[in-house]
Amino acid sequence: MLSLQRSFGELLVAKGWLSAEQLEQVLVLQKSSGASLEDVLARPGMLPEESLSLALAAHQIGVDFEHVRDIVPQPEALARLPVKFANHFKVLPLRYDGRVLCVAMSDPRDAEVIDGVALVAGCRVNPVMASEKEVLEALRVHYGLGADAVDRMMTGREEQEDRLSVEAIDADGSEASISRFFNQMLLQAHNDRASDIHIESFEDELRIRYRIDGVLRDANAPENLRYFRDILISRIKIMANLNIAEKRLPQDGRIYVQIEGRDMDLRVSFLPTPLGESVVIRILNAVRLYSLEELGFTGQELVWLKNALARPHGIIFVTGPTGSGKTTTLYACLAAVNAESNKIITVEDPVEAQIKGITQVQTNTGIGLTFAATLRSMLRHDPDMLMVGEVRDRETAQITIQSALTGHLVFSTLHTNDAPSSVARLLDMGVEPFLIASAVQTVIAQRLVRRLCPLCRVAVPVSPQIEREFALSKEECQSGIYEARGCKSCRMSGYDGRLAIAEFLMMNDELGGLIMQRASAAELRQLALQRGMKTLRSNGWEKVRAGLTSAQEVLRVIQ
């Protein structure tokens, strides 16, 4: 027995997965523990699961090992095994030569599964070993999102152009299948770090897309899903406690679900169109807490922001269009100042992430719980710091500024395209110039750009177009930059995650004087640039030069 284990270990050494010294240590540990060698090697930190599976397949089972993530199955192979059976058996058809079906599975020794596949496929089966995780992911990619659930609903039906009625749900057991499909859709969105799910009705298809890192990507839904459009939309309405009979007016709701132990907070919105209702599901708990460094703040901008957070009073505004990461940055600021000695209260619409140690209030305009009304009550709770989700009107702006002038550090957002325009926005709301000059200490205009995948980014020279767009000197063009290429790790997008680019308007006496004179945003910008402010474009170039993002990505979000 020991000689067999040693030969298996020597195979690992020959493959380069273990050194000779490590093999001796593993054999000693195996002998002292009484466990099998493969159990010892499967312990955390010993040997990667994939390498161990490959070694076991080659040495003990006598079958081949396939990396199915790198294989495109033959269409005729996929056609031999219906999707519901492929998911049930957890096997992926790879190749079919007219007599034998080659399938990938995690345990090729399971004769019962092999016999079941052979019976359903009606041919001989040749199993190969593959990672179960890779098999399940490949099933989703090659059969389509939730294809097994849709296939169950299509069983026994003739495909027809008439869409199925909502009343048919209970009649044929489709309710369980559509629930299964909805759960798979949510789980995949969670695994892909999606912030939104778009369900769009068209004449010949029902399209599902995920917004990942700010960009929409197709979810590869099965073609037959269009027959179950009304059932799926009605199911979502039922879960959100909305009227399933109302299809002419927009509706909004909220869903709390748990998928495979994961709590998901969903905000759903329905919009009527001539071809059916369009649905957007916002995954609120997709927002996670980041540190300021993780968001991409570095160097002087990080010093400025930390100095602003250290002040006892004043307003820190974060500005930008919808989807520019304003709330994420505010949460990072709150996390940085969240301490036992600070009483922090927020008013938001909605509360996108729960932060331990902070009192968070969600507005409800239907009962009069507006930003302004909540702010008045918040000031009676002895806060040190406040966060106002958004300054939308004069009343909210006035109370926010008064809070800053009475000794509170206030965080809030405005919808403006750049930092100097925030002053003009407040003036348009009717706020007096002297109040703006006295209360506002920092304005951060930001955008989110996708972060280059570190595994596949490629170095390229600076093109003449990039030189012109960023107004670069010849010296700045000498060092190369990186571009996106795409690999399996980043789903061929070339990007993985996002970071912020920002311009900081730090208030001082000179800027305050211009504000008192009701100077234009252009005049404020000119003075701020003379005093060291970096524009979004120049800060974006710094991130490009550091290899964090691409020039194309910066231009995409700021042009």
Side-chain angles (χ1 to χ4, degrees), residues 2 21 105 107 137 163 224 232 259 347-348 438 516:
L2 184 61
E21 294 77 11
M105 54 193 298
D107 185 7
E137 175 64 17
R163 293 186 176 91
N224 289 334
L232 176 60
I259 305 295
V347 51
E348 308 170 56
S438 302
M516 294 287 287

Side-chain angles (χ1 to χ4, degrees), residues 194-255:
S195 60
D196 302 85
I197 305 171
H198 292 245
I199 304 174
E200 300 159 311
S201 297
F202 297 99
E203 187 172 2
D204 57 350
E205 69 171 324
L206 182 66
R207 182 166 66 174
I208 296 179
R209 295 189 289 174
Y210 295 149
R211 188 174 294 279
I212 303 172
D213 293 336
V215 177
L216 284 172
R217 300 183 190 174
D218 192 86
N220 188 26
E223 182 181 354
N224 289 334
L225 183 62
R226 70 182 187 271
Y227 296 110
F228 304 94
R229 182 198 67 190
D230 291 342
I231 296 178
L232 176 60
I233 290 176
S234 295
R235 176 61 181 168
I236 298 172
K237 285 184 178 181
I238 290 171
M239 296 179 69
N241 293 317
L242 298 176
N243 183 2
I244 64 172
E246 181 55 74
K247 301 180 181 181
R248 301 166 300 170
L249 296 174
Q251 294 190 73
D252 296 290
R254 202 156 185 176
I255 301 174

Side-chain angles (χ1 to χ4, degrees), residues 1-10 23-24 26-32 35-37 59:
M1 180 68 174
L2 184 61
S3 62
L4 287 174
Q5 292 175 344
R6 177 171 291 277
S7 65
F8 175 46
E10 289 171 350
L23 174 59
E24 292 301 324
V26 167
L27 288 173
V28 171
L29 181 60
Q30 181 270 328
K31 186 176 181 180
S32 62
S36 67
L37 186 62
H59 186 71

Side-chain angles (χ1 to χ4, degrees), residues 3 128 135 178 412:
S3 62
V128 297
V135 168
I178 206 66
S412 191

Side-chain angles (χ1 to χ4, degrees), residues 311-328:
R311 295 180 182 178
H313 54 79
I315 301 178
I316 298 175
F317 277 118
V318 182
T319 76
T322 300
S324 59
K326 299 185 295 295
T327 301
T328 303

